[in-house]
Amino acid sequence: MSKPYAAPPKLNRERRFPDNMQAAHALTLKAKRGARGNRTGKGYALPAFNVTTYQGIDSAFTAYETLGSSGLLAFSNSALKHFGSGDPLLGLEQVSAYVERKAARSSVQVATHLDHGDYIGESGRKVVQGAVHLLTSVMADNSTDHAAKQPTPLEDNIGYTREVVNMAHPVGVSVEGELGVLAGEEDEDTKSDFSTYTRPEDLAQFLKETGVLMLAPTIGTMHGPNKGKPGHKVKLNIPLAHELLKVANSINDEIIFVAHGASTRYEEVVSYAVDQLGKLGSGNGEMIQAWKDFVGTDWDQIQGLIGAGFCKINTDTENRQTFLAALLGAVTKNAAKIDIRWYDNQMWNAVTASYIKKLIMAGNHGIWHEPKIDVDKFVFDLNNT
Ligand code: 13P
């Protein structure tokens, strides 16, 4: 990997995306500044919802439009494969066209983002190139050498990330780098059973040499449903997050931090799922225990990160859990209902409510217009979705 000597290209802010679409950096920078309408107040965050089906995209748009939120739809490589029946490039073409049409009719502004995947090999690079053409933001997912099960050497991570910045910034597509290794499983190709913290001494070099404006440092979060010991609270390294923010702001205060593994455990979802499994029969003890053992990142910890400049918070697992809980509920409510649309509505109305809950928690409402509901009175209740 050759050392990138020349200054990295700046993000082209003149780029005009299709109607109501913006680079993820533009929307998250607005959040860091606390900008809503023509007012500036307290900072907020954009949950990046990992969507894997068209109904998921529809649900996210419904939630954004209900609240007047800034939206961020994330697609991992395995999600793109799912959309494209095995072909991530076909998936990219399909989802980008679908989102563009939805956005053109929307009351809010959204960004589309390429999330995790193994993008180092030839086929992975094609996915990143395709995403630079078709999405508004991409992840340069290079911090972990998954084959060797070790962190990518800093120089190599810088080199790979810089290649993506060279391709994306001139056309206005923002790039999210990653520094440090996050444990857990997000994409089928990108699981890790170990983690490392981001080292402040590496951060300045990484930011200066890559030119990224969005960065996922590792401060103790984990992907997936088991983020720690059951019954124990996950404790993030918030002091490290502030130390990293100082370094980043001293280089460019437009740099946005990204929290991966930001899913919360919603007690109401866990107890609803456990109830449904109980109703479904006495042989479900192991699954009930698995649900009870799920560990999320508590919201006070994520709030601590938002206060340290983390304006993009990646949330996938909690919405998968809501979907599955609602599916179990649909079966216990009426397993003789021969109507796919009814089942679809049961699950997706629940996921929409889960999205609304997180957007309200993140303070991301009333950005593009006033919310259509009273956010203070919103109740997330799977019995009523
Ligand atoms: P969770 O597994 O906590 O939902 O995190 C998702 C994520 O970080 C996607 O990049």
Side-chain angles (χ1 to χ4, degrees):
M1 188 58 47
S2 62
K3 195 167 163 53
Y5 289 107
K10 292 209 176 333
L11 180 66
N12 173 1
R13 294 172 207 238
E14 301 300 310
R15 163 79 187 269
R16 290 291 159 262
F17 288 104
D19 286 353
N20 297 324
M21 296 188 67
Q22 297 199 27
H25 182 255
L27 294 182
T28 48
L29 182 59
K30 212 171 146 60
K32 189 174 180 184
R33 302 275 184 258
R36 342 171 154 249
N38 49 19
R39 284 169 291 135
T40 304
K42 197 167 171 285
Y44 54 92
L46 272 73
F49 296 132
N50 281 88
V51 278
T52 53
T53 66
Y54 292 102
Q55 291 93 330
I57 296 174
D58 291 351
S59 263
F61 268 96
T62 303
Y64 302 145
E65 289 162 5
T66 302
L67 296 172
S69 306
S70 276
L72 219 173
L73 297 156
F75 303 93
S76 69
N77 189 48
S78 55
L80 292 172
K81 280 193 215 157
H82 183 68
F83 277 109
S85 310
D87 177 353
L89 293 172
L90 176 62
L92 255 177
E93 284 174 27
Q94 293 180 164
V95 293
S96 57
Y98 189 80
V99 172
E100 273 178 31
R101 279 169 185 70
K102 295 280 299 182
R105 290 163 179 75
S106 184
S107 59
V108 300
Q109 305 272 317
V110 301
T112 46
H113 176 75
L114 178 70
D115 197 31
H116 289 285
D118 184 354
Y119 303 128
I120 304 280
E122 196 49 41
S123 55
R125 279 166 193 241
K126 286 204 175 115
V127 175
V128 178
Q129 280 163 4
V132 168
H133 283 292
L134 294 168
L135 304 182
T136 73
S137 164
V138 294
M139 179 174 188
D141 189 4
N142 306 316
S143 67
T144 312
D145 182 337
H146 292 284
K149 291 185 183 293
Q150 61 187 33
T152 308
L154 180 64
E155 293 292 329
D156 290 352
N157 188 2
I158 290 174
Y160 291 132
T161 304
R162 180 61 188 275
E163 278 180 27
V164 180
V165 171
N166 287 348
M167 215 184 338
H169 273 192
V171 293
V173 170
S174 45
V175 178
E176 173 185 321
E178 188 171 56
L179 190 58
V181 177
L182 198 86
E185 175 173 352
E186 173 52 28
D187 189 83
E188 61 202 14
D189 306 323
T190 56
K191 16 188 149 168
S192 174
D193 50 15
F194 70 103
S195 65
T196 62
Y197 280 138
T198 300
R199 296 176 348 140
E201 58 271 34
D202 294 340
L203 182 64
Q205 185 188 351
F206 186 88
L207 292 173
K208 282 184 194 154
E209 294 189 3
T210 62
V212 289
L213 293 175
M214 303 183 73
L215 178 83
T218 46
I219 30 67
T221 56
M222 239 179 112
H223 284 133
N226 300 103
K227 299 187 190 300
K229 260 203 199 149
H232 292 259
K233 187 178 164 88
V234 171
K235 200 131 173 33
L236 304 182
N237 195 338
I238 310 282
L240 174 62
H242 281 280
E243 196 182 337
L244 296 169
L245 179 69
K246 248 197 219 152
V247 175
N249 279 346
S250 73
I251 292 168
N252 180 351
D253 81 343
E254 296 197 340
I255 288 166
I256 303 295
F257 282 166
V258 177
H260 282 252
S263 275
T264 320
R265 170 188 154 117
Y266 291 138
E267 291 313 320
E268 58 272 56
V269 173
V270 171
S271 62
Y272 183 85
V274 165
D275 281 356
Q276 307 313 311
L277 282 166
K279 283 184 201 164
L280 284 169
S282 54
N284 295 329
E286 262 181 48
M287 284 186 275
I288 289 177
Q289 196 55 48
W291 269 91
K292 288 183 175 168
D293 285 348
F294 287 155
V295 177
T297 310
D298 284 343
W299 183 245
D300 64 329
Q301 299 290 297
I302 301 297
Q303 270 177 319
L305 292 185
I306 298 174
F310 285 69
C311 296
K312 174 172 178 273
I313 52 173
N314 290 7
T315 43
D316 184 8
T317 302
E318 64 189 34
N319 302 308
R320 295 188 194 196
Q321 287 168 338
T322 298
F323 178 96
L324 180 52
L327 172 60
L328 293 168
V331 172
T332 60
K333 258 186 243 168
N334 195 346
K337 183 97 182 163
I338 311 299
D339 183 348
I340 291 171
R341 290 162 302 184
W342 183 82
Y343 280 96
D344 251 4
N345 288 340
Q346 300 291 308
M347 275 91 80
W348 292 109
N349 289 345
V351 175
T352 302
S354 181
Y355 287 156
I356 289 177
K357 180 177 169 85
K358 188 45 46 90
L359 288 163
I360 294 174
M361 288 163 82
N364 181 355
H365 49 84
I367 313 302
W368 301 103
H369 55 73
E370 287 305 313
K372 295 177 186 161
I373 57 169
D374 184 341
V375 296
D376 296 326
K377 297 208 174 113
F378 176 74
V379 180
F380 179 41
D381 179 0
L382 290 183
N383 293 298
N384 286 322
T385 51

